Structures are given as structure tokens and as C-alpha cells.
Amino acid sequence: MADHGWCDDSDHHEAVQRAERATRFGWSAIAWTTGALGCALIALTGLCAVAVVACLSVVVMSHY
């Protein structure tokens, strides 16, 4: 049994490592995108709240 070529799994291990890196990159991209959309949603909600308060203050001031 001097021939060790039958037990060469280096291609398989390299493919697994590439797949793991791609998976980590994919999850990182999903996390960053979700975080950015969440921040944008919070900012939009704040702007809407400011707009509502401004409109209400204009209505209240117009009655005096």
C-alpha cells in the first residue's frame, strides 16, 4: 500500500472552505443590508413624526 493517491481529499477540503467563505460573506451581506434598512426605517419614522408635529403646530397656531 505505497500508493496514497486514493485517499487525496484536498479538492474536497478546498471546495468546502470556499463554500464556507461564500456562506459567511452572504450572511454578512444580509446582516449589513438588514441593518442599513432598519436604520433607514427608523430615520423615516422620525421624519414622519417631526412632520406630523410640525403640521399640528401649524394648525394650532392658525387658530390663535
Side-chain angles (χ1 to χ4, degrees):
M1 290 262 160
D3 186 19
H4 295 290
W6 61 272
C7 191
D8 186 18
D9 286 342
S10 62
D11 291 339
H12 174 72
H13 291 295
E14 289 175 17
V16 169
Q17 288 176 348
R18 282 193 309 269
E20 288 174 352
R21 280 193 302 266
T23 301
R24 279 194 305 270
F25 176 76
W27 281 113
S28 295
I30 290 169
W32 279 102
T33 303
T34 303
L37 289 175
C39 289
L41 182 62
I42 290 169
L44 182 63
T45 303
L47 287 175
C48 288
V50 168
V52 167
V53 169
C55 289
L56 287 175
S57 66
V58 167
V59 169
V60 168
M61 293 293 179
S62 68
H63 283 81
Y64 287 114

